[in-house]
Amino acid sequence: MNNGIFKSFDNSEIFYREWNFQPQQKSIIMIHRGHEHSERLNHIAQSPQFSKYNIFAFDLRGHGHTKTETSSVFMDYVRDLDSFAKFLQSKYEVKISDIFVVANSIGGVVASAWTHDFAPQIAGMTLLAPAFRINLIVPLANEMITLGTKLKKGLIIKSYVKSKMLTHDPEQQKAYDTDPLITRSIDAELLIDLAKAGKRLVEDAKAIDTPTLILAAEKDHVVFNKDQKIFHDKLDTDVKHYEVLPNFFHGILFDTGKEKVYDKIADFAEKCFDTSQKQPSLSPDQFSVKEYQDLKNNVGNNLNFKFQKFSLNNIGKISDGMAIGLKYGFDSGASLDYVYHNQPSGKLGFGKIMDKNYLEAIGWKGIRIRKLHLIQLLEQNIQQLKKDERLKFLILQEEREIIYLISKRNILKLKLLSMNSYSQTSKSAKK
């Protein structure tokens, strides 16, 4: 086993491990569950079932030996996975099509989001008890945690999950309880963001065509299996399998009988590597066909939609932002300027509250982020031009053009003055 550091999308340093590396071998990326770290995967990484694969794993932010702090933004972990895959391509020359992913719990949601949002052409993935919806046990816990994040910035909550809820194996329970690198808490904002991501992925699973094996634990008290099954059924691939493991707890890779799980993962990975990948095509897929049918049949154009439309046209006008959109169009330059300005305003007090919610819509947030990215790109290019001494040339060229235009305008003025003077002289001569 070797280890090292790779730099993620934001230049954060992430700790990773590598086992069995041989050039030209197929590769497996393993993602540990929340609270844990990559060293816990040492047993599966060194098991005979995976001896013919390169095995890679990294410590998520705020976990194990990764010094980068935990992020409250779920997508940062997805971007880390994408950056890791690119790192493996550059350092180890691992092709994306030669990668298979094995991910447990929260790691399973990270892997699913990667295949959904980035659409990497990987061979396939195995999701072990993916945490699409966490069982928080206490009624209204999600709402209370959400409120807590509003009242206290950086709220940290302690996990209720004990080792006895993860595995039947006493030795594994002891290993979990005595491991100093295992964290016992979780960022509350991340927990809420994870819940939103899980819901989105289950609802939109038809957009994923990656071959997928989902292994659920029969006695899982940490996450709900129902959402895993719905996710599986929606996947747009024929190479998929869902199985509930009898008597297993949530920590599938550490429970009694884990060697049988290794066999199932290895068999599915081999099947995926032997299956020719789906080629890009202009033919409609299941996801786009459903979208088309929904639009065609006015799905969503129900009483709720009609009420929203009525409210926007009648009550929305007290929000200055909505009023501009209704008058000039929500895709107009006037609306865009208002969104960039990002200062809520409206009538009757309530209008300002409506306007604030309007400006905080995810689409408008994306527009403002896009503006920042454009500015960053412009600044980067300006600095590069300065470095190459091309900016000076461009400025000189522009100055010459401006001088030329000014000169041309002055010559035109002189000509007009001359013509006026000649005209007046002619009139005097005639008189």
Side-chain angles (χ1 to χ4, degrees):
M1 177 179 66
N2 297 310
N3 57 60
I5 299 289
F6 77 93
K7 287 196 173 182
S8 194
F9 68 98
D10 58 355
N11 284 323
S12 294
E13 293 188 342
I14 309 292
F15 178 88
Y16 78 94
R17 299 178 189 275
E18 159 257 299
W19 295 263
N20 312 329
F21 178 74
Q22 294 292 332
Q24 310 306 318
Q25 275 190 157
K26 304 294 185 184
S27 299
I28 295 179
I29 295 177
M30 296 186 176
I31 309 173
H32 63 79
R33 62 175 290 274
H35 306 288
E36 302 194 10
H37 53 91
S38 60
E39 191 176 3
R40 295 261 299 160
L41 302 170
N42 192 52
H43 187 274
I44 182 174
Q46 293 186 319
S47 63
Q49 292 94 325
F50 301 99
S51 59
K52 65 178 182 180
Y53 297 113
N54 301 322
I55 308 294
F56 298 98
F58 63 95
D59 290 353
L60 299 176
R61 293 169 180 247
H63 294 73
H65 293 288
T66 291
K67 294 180 180 178
T68 302
E69 292 183 358
T70 301
S71 172
S72 300
V73 181
F74 170 75
M75 282 305 296
D76 283 350
Y77 300 88
V78 183
R79 295 185 187 101
D80 287 341
L81 174 56
D82 187 62
S83 298
F84 189 50
K86 290 175 180 174
F87 168 76
L88 297 181
Q89 286 177 276
S90 62
K91 181 173 176 62
Y92 294 92
E93 298 183 349
V94 173
K95 293 189 290 187
I96 194 73
S97 58
D98 288 341
I99 290 176
F100 184 86
V101 175
V102 176
N104 188 198
S105 192
I106 290 175
V109 187
V110 171
S112 301
W114 186 44
T115 58
H116 181 280
D117 297 353
F118 290 80
Q121 295 300 303
I122 59 174
M125 61 181 177
T126 292
L127 309 180
L128 305 162
F132 294 123
R133 186 159 61 101
I134 296 174
N135 181 8
L136 296 175
I137 299 179
V138 180
L140 300 176
N142 195 63
E143 289 76 11
M144 288 190 290
I145 294 170
T146 302
L147 178 61
T149 60
K150 302 293 183 185
L151 298 174
K152 184 180 179 181
K153 186 72 176 174
L155 177 66
I156 301 296
I157 57 177
K158 191 172 182 180
S159 172
Y160 68 86
V161 178
K162 306 297 182 184
S163 61
K164 290 182 179 180
M165 300 172 71
L166 299 174
T167 173
H168 293 84
D169 188 333
E171 288 187 12
Q172 287 294 337
Q173 291 174 7
K174 184 179 178 181
Y176 185 88
D177 292 335
T178 57
D179 192 331
L181 291 178
I182 288 180
T183 60
R184 311 294 171 179
S185 57
I186 187 169
D187 184 290
E189 288 184 49
L190 173 60
L191 192 62
I192 298 302
D193 208 23
L194 170 67
K196 291 177 182 177
K199 185 174 183 292
R200 171 176 69 90
L201 291 166
V202 171
E203 290 176 351
D204 212 31
K206 283 187 175 69
I208 300 174
D209 60 6
T210 304
T212 304
L213 168 66
I214 298 179
L215 297 177
E218 182 189 28
K219 295 185 177 180
D220 198 326
H221 303 294
V222 180
V223 301
F224 291 101
N225 291 352
K226 180 181 177 182
D227 301 75
Q228 301 165 9
K229 183 66 167 66
I230 295 170
F231 178 84
H232 165 269
D233 292 345
K234 288 184 177 181
L235 290 172
D236 188 20
T237 175
D238 295 328
V239 186
K240 61 181 179 179
H241 180 64
Y242 175 82
E243 183 177 342
V244 178
L245 301 172
N247 206 38
F248 265 75
F249 285 166
H250 181 68
I252 291 174
L253 291 178
F254 307 98
D255 211 346
T256 307
K258 57 183 176 290
E259 286 76 15
K260 293 179 181 178
V261 175
Y262 296 175
D263 290 337
K264 292 178 188 295
I265 298 171
D267 289 345
F268 189 78
E270 189 167 357
K271 180 180 179 181
C272 289
F273 283 126
D274 290 341
T275 303
S276 57
Q277 287 200 326
K278 185 178 179 181
Q279 296 301 312
S281 169
L282 295 176
S283 300
D285 54 28
Q286 183 184 353
F287 173 67
S288 58
V289 167
K290 185 180 184 302
E291 290 282 299
Y292 170 75
Q293 293 295 340
D294 286 351
L295 289 169
K296 186 178 178 181
N297 298 325
N298 289 321
V299 172
N301 191 16
N302 49 26
L303 186 62
N304 181 47
F305 174 76
K306 289 175 181 177
F307 174 74
Q308 289 184 44
K309 187 176 180 180
F310 173 82
S311 300
L312 179 62
N313 288 323
N314 293 276
I315 306 171
K317 293 176 182 178
I318 66 173
S319 155
D320 288 356
M322 293 183 195
I324 290 171
L326 289 166
K327 184 176 181 180
Y328 299 104
F330 289 94
D331 58 351
S332 65
S335 278
L336 195 62
D337 285 340
Y338 188 81
V339 170
Y340 283 152
H341 188 56
N342 198 25
Q343 294 295 324
S345 62
K347 302 178 180 70
L348 307 175
F350 184 66
K352 187 173 182 179
I353 296 172
M354 287 177 59
D355 203 56
K356 186 175 186 295
N357 289 330
Y358 170 74
L359 289 171
E360 287 182 352
I362 189 66
W364 291 140
K365 284 183 178 180
I367 289 290
R368 288 192 290 271
I369 291 170
R370 184 184 68 178
K371 178 188 174 183
L372 293 174
H373 288 170
L374 286 171
I375 291 171
Q376 289 171 1
L377 285 171
L378 281 170
E379 288 176 346
Q380 287 173 12
N381 280 283
I382 287 169
Q383 293 303 319
Q384 189 60 45
L385 287 169
K386 278 184 179 179
K387 187 178 177 182
D388 298 343
E389 296 189 349
R390 290 168 59 198
L391 185 63
K392 194 173 181 180
F393 172 76
L394 290 171
I395 292 171
L396 286 171
Q397 284 285 94
E398 195 167 330
E399 284 176 351
R400 287 194 191 103
E401 287 178 14
I402 291 168
I403 292 167
Y404 171 72
L405 289 170
I406 292 171
S407 302
K408 195 172 180 181
R409 187 179 65 184
N410 289 338
I411 290 166
L412 185 61
K413 280 183 179 178
L414 287 169
K415 283 182 179 179
L416 288 169
L417 286 169
S418 300
M419 288 173 69
N420 288 336
S421 177
Y422 174 77
S423 177
Q424 289 172 2
T425 306
S426 300
K427 287 178 181 178
S428 300
K430 285 179 181 178
K431 286 180 180 177

